[in-house]
Amino acid sequence: MPYLLISTQIRLEVGPTMVGDEHSDPNLMSFLGATKRNMLGNHFWEYYVNDAPRVVLNKLESRGYRVVSMTGVGQTLVWCLHKE
C-alpha cells in the first residue's frame, strides 16, 4: 500500500490522529501503536493513535513515507503520504 491518509480534528497539537481504515496494513498500524475502533453511527472501522500528527508524521518518515499533499476540510486536517 504505497498511499496513506492521516487526519486529525481540531486538536492539532495533541492528537488523536486517525491513521488508517479497516483495510490498512496491520503491521504498519502496529508500528504506529494504533488501535482499531468503530464510532457509534459509522459503518466502518478506523485506526487511531493518541499521538499528535507531528509524531505520527515523524514515525512514518522513518518508514519511507513522504507527504504528497495536505489540506484542511472544515475542522479537519488531512495529509496524503506516499511510500516509494
Side-chain angles (χ1 to χ4, degrees), residues 2-80:
Y3 287 95
L4 180 67
L5 291 176
I6 69 168
S7 65
T8 188
Q9 293 180 338
I10 303 171
R11 297 177 300 270
L12 178 63
E13 296 84 9
V14 297
T17 304
M18 304 316 138
V19 294
D21 61 21
E22 58 196 293
H23 305 292
S24 296
D25 177 6
N27 293 325
L28 181 60
M29 296 299 109
S30 177
F31 168 74
L32 294 173
T35 303
K36 193 175 181 180
R37 70 178 178 187
N38 176 268
M39 298 294 286
L40 184 63
N42 289 345
H43 300 289
F44 58 89
W45 291 80
E46 62 187 2
Y47 282 95
Y48 79 100
V49 295
N50 285 322
D51 296 330
R54 176 188 57 79
V55 174
V56 175
L57 290 167
N58 287 340
K59 287 181 179 180
L60 290 169
E61 182 181 38
S62 75
R63 282 285 179 103
Y65 284 90
R66 302 288 179 257
V67 174
V68 176
S69 65
M70 185 268 185
T71 190
V73 183
Q75 297 283 330
T76 302
L77 295 173
V78 181
W79 292 262
C80 177

